[in-house]
């Protein structure tokens, strides 16, 4: 192998090893950057729920997935639960113990449909996660998960956002 290629390979190994060390030090394992099974499953279950209401399907956004990954990592590292105050996107967050699947997370959010009354556009309890999933004008989604040994932080970002006061989601 030519010397320049060997140096490039060594630099790449050092960079990736350093990134892994930082992730291990904080106890947070980042989600892979490439379109993953998590991404495909998150998009699929969101679109299945939307299809029941004859809403247009969402498109996956790697930019939104990156925003979601950064916020999930932040929450996991700080052991917190909060919406991102600097995000211009709609956002669903789910914090749980290890072992949840993307489908289980989205179904948990969607279960809030039981608390939503379309005719009055009111919630008898919390239903903001559900209404964000089915917000008609939302076109793009990006989701991510940060995992530690004892906790998972799931975040989905939606663009354009939904849940505007006095507006029906669909």
């Amino acid at each position: 192998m030519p010397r320049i290629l060997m140096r490039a390979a060594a630099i790449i190994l050092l960079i990736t090893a350093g990134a892994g060390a930082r992730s291990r030090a904080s106890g947070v394992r980042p989600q892979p950057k490439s379109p993953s099974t998590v991404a495909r499953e998150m998009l699929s279950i969101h679109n299945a729920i939307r299809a029941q209401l004859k809403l247009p399907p969402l498109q996956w956004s790697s930019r939104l997935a990156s925003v979601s990954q950064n916020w999930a990592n932040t929450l996991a590292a700080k052991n917190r639960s909060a919406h991102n105050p600097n995000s211009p996107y709609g956002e669903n967050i789910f914090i749980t113990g290890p072992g949840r699947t993307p489908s289980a997370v989205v179904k948990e959010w969607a279960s809030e449909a039981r608390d939503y009354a379309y005719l009055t556009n009111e919630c008898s309890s919390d239903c903001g996660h559900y209404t964000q999933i089915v917000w008609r004008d939302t076109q793009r989604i990006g989701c991510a998960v940060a995992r530690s040994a004892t906790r998972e932080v799931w975040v989905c970002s939606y663009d354009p956002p939904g849940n505007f006061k006095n507006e029906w989601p669909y």
Side-chain angles (χ1 to χ4, degrees), residues 77-95:
K78 294 181 176 182
N79 199 27
R80 291 188 54 221
S81 174
H83 284 284
N84 185 341
N86 301 314
S87 177
Y89 308 113
E91 186 177 73
N92 279 346
I93 298 173
F94 187 76
I95 298 177

Side-chain angles (χ1 to χ4, degrees), residues 4-71:
I4 188 107
L5 290 177
M6 289 174 59
R7 278 191 193 159
I11 289 169
I12 290 169
L13 284 172
L14 284 172
I15 290 170
T16 56
R22 282 191 302 276
S23 295
R24 284 188 298 279
S26 68
V28 176
R29 295 181 307 238
Q31 180 180 336
K33 298 286 185 202
S34 63
S36 66
T37 303
V38 169
R40 286 188 299 275
E41 193 173 335
M42 277 293 201
L43 182 62
S44 176
I45 191 71
H46 272 83
N47 284 335
I49 293 165
R50 291 173 65 86
Q52 292 173 357
L53 297 169
K54 298 183 178 17
L55 296 171
L58 300 173
Q59 299 300 311
W60 187 259
S61 166
S62 33
R63 179 175 50 86
L64 292 176
S66 179
V67 167
S68 295
Q69 187 67 66
N70 289 338
W71 190 242

Side-chain angles (χ1 to χ4, degrees), residues 91-92 127-133 135 161-165 167 169:
E91 186 177 73
N92 279 346
C127 68
H129 298 101
Y130 166 70
T131 54
Q132 179 59 78
I133 291 170
W135 199 263
N163 290 335
F164 296 109
K165 191 172 178 83
E167 289 187 28

